[in-house]
Amino acid sequence: DISSVEALIDEQTAALVGIAGTTEFGQVDPIEELADIASEWGIHLHVDAAFGGFVLPFLDNGLKWDFSLPAVSSITIDPHKMGLATIPAGGLLFRNQDCMNALETETHYLTRAKQTSLTGTRSGASAAAAYAVMMHLGREGFREMVGYCMELTRHLVQGAREIGVEPLIEPVMNVVALQVPQPPKVRERLMDRDWHVSMTREPKRALRLILMTHMSHENIDLFLADLKEILADIN
Ligand SMILES: Cc1ncc(COP(=O)(O)O)c(C=O)c1O
């Protein structure tokens, strides 16, 4: 609710953070409205697109959440999630050099007087892997991958509805929260059949599924058949 954000802001506010692709439900905050507030108050707007950053650009749903909004100053985007790269490749993008400069620490004892690195010496292997995946897939590859994941998402939602299970929200991205009675019990029963399913917590418990490229339509059909039996047994 954007009015509750407005009510919290005052001269002490250093930055606003919006999420483009929430962890549990895959929702996108109203970043355009946050951008208006950030412009009005002259404060930094960061967008956490850790999950959504490699999905939203390929959905063509008209949502604005990125540097096309002048107030957006930084974005997190995780290659190790929907970027299909290895853990722990993470990405922090800045609109301009000023933000990088603000991160600088003095390191006279090292070979360079200043560094903007967030941590010390570590392997660059995951960054190289992220780069390789991006070069390999290209924009078209990512578009195809996201298209497939969204197709799986629609297949799951449709199949769930056919067995009387509704999603908690209409999925925005490839994240589906299914409303079932007694979610922990259903989850346990699913586990007995080797389905390891996550669960949402706030504001409501639901089965949480992320549809990624390694899944198939057949996987979903098998999952729904088991879910149907488990629900019939529980009811
Ligand atoms: C929206 C969002 N932000 C941040 C994170 C944390 O990212 P990382 O795995 O790079 O620590 C996650 C992880 O699930 C996420 O979904």
Side-chain angles (χ1 to χ4, degrees):
D1 177 4
I2 208 75
S3 58
S4 62
V5 175
E6 274 170 324
L8 285 171
I9 293 190
D10 60 23
E11 290 72 23
Q12 312 288 321
T13 308
L16 279 178
V17 180
I19 307 181
T22 60
T23 309
E24 299 220 310
F25 298 97
Q27 288 164 301
V28 180
D29 281 342
I31 309 291
E32 275 188 270
E33 292 174 58
L34 290 177
D36 289 342
I37 300 174
S39 304
E40 192 186 318
W41 286 83
I43 49 180
H44 186 107
L45 174 58
H46 174 75
V47 177
D48 181 345
F51 188 83
F54 279 97
V55 178
L56 295 167
F58 308 106
L59 289 183
D60 302 322
N61 60 5
L63 277 181
K64 282 196 169 180
W65 57 277
D66 60 8
F67 289 128
S68 62
L69 297 168
V72 174
S73 301
S74 56
I75 300 177
T76 328
I77 172 168
D78 266 356
H80 82 72
K81 295 192 170 75
M82 288 299 290
L84 305 183
T86 50
I87 285 175
L92 182 53
L93 312 178
F94 293 118
R95 175 181 288 281
N96 57 43
Q97 187 65 32
D98 293 354
C99 294
M100 282 290 275
N101 295 347
L103 282 178
E104 268 179 354
T105 45
E106 303 212 342
T107 50
H108 292 297
Y109 55 99
L110 296 174
T111 50
R112 289 174 57 187
K114 286 182 174 177
Q115 287 198 0
T116 47
S117 173
L118 294 173
T119 55
T121 307
R122 74 267 194 215
S123 163
S126 61
Y131 179 77
V133 174
M134 279 188 243
M135 288 299 109
H136 176 67
L137 288 176
R139 279 177 197 276
E140 268 324 296
F142 275 105
R143 186 173 291 281
E144 215 173 285
M145 180 270 286
V146 169
Y148 177 67
C149 294
M150 292 310 291
E151 155 66 25
L152 290 178
T153 302
R154 286 188 289 274
H155 187 70
L156 173 64
V157 171
Q158 191 189 329
R161 285 195 163 122
E162 281 165 17
I163 60 164
V165 174
E166 283 293 315
L168 204 55
I169 61 157
E170 212 51 55
V172 183
M173 302 195 317
N174 50 327
V175 181
V176 179
L178 294 177
Q179 300 187 76
V180 291
Q182 309 180 59
K185 193 167 175 183
V186 173
R187 185 175 181 235
E188 231 177 82
R189 294 283 178 86
L190 283 165
M191 200 113 60
D192 293 342
R193 298 178 184 221
D194 273 343
W195 295 106
H196 294 253
V197 179
S198 158
M199 214 171 54
T200 63
R201 282 154 301 183
E202 295 288 337
K204 210 174 159 195
R205 280 174 163 180
L207 297 180
R208 170 177 172 265
L209 295 102
I210 311 229
L211 287 306
M212 293 190 73
T213 43
H214 57 277
M215 307 268 308
S216 68
H217 291 75
E218 192 192 356
N219 289 149
I220 292 170
D221 295 340
L222 290 170
F223 170 77
L224 287 171
D226 277 345
L227 181 62
K228 186 179 174 185
E229 281 179 19
I230 290 167
L231 291 177
D233 193 35
I234 279 182
N235 281 331

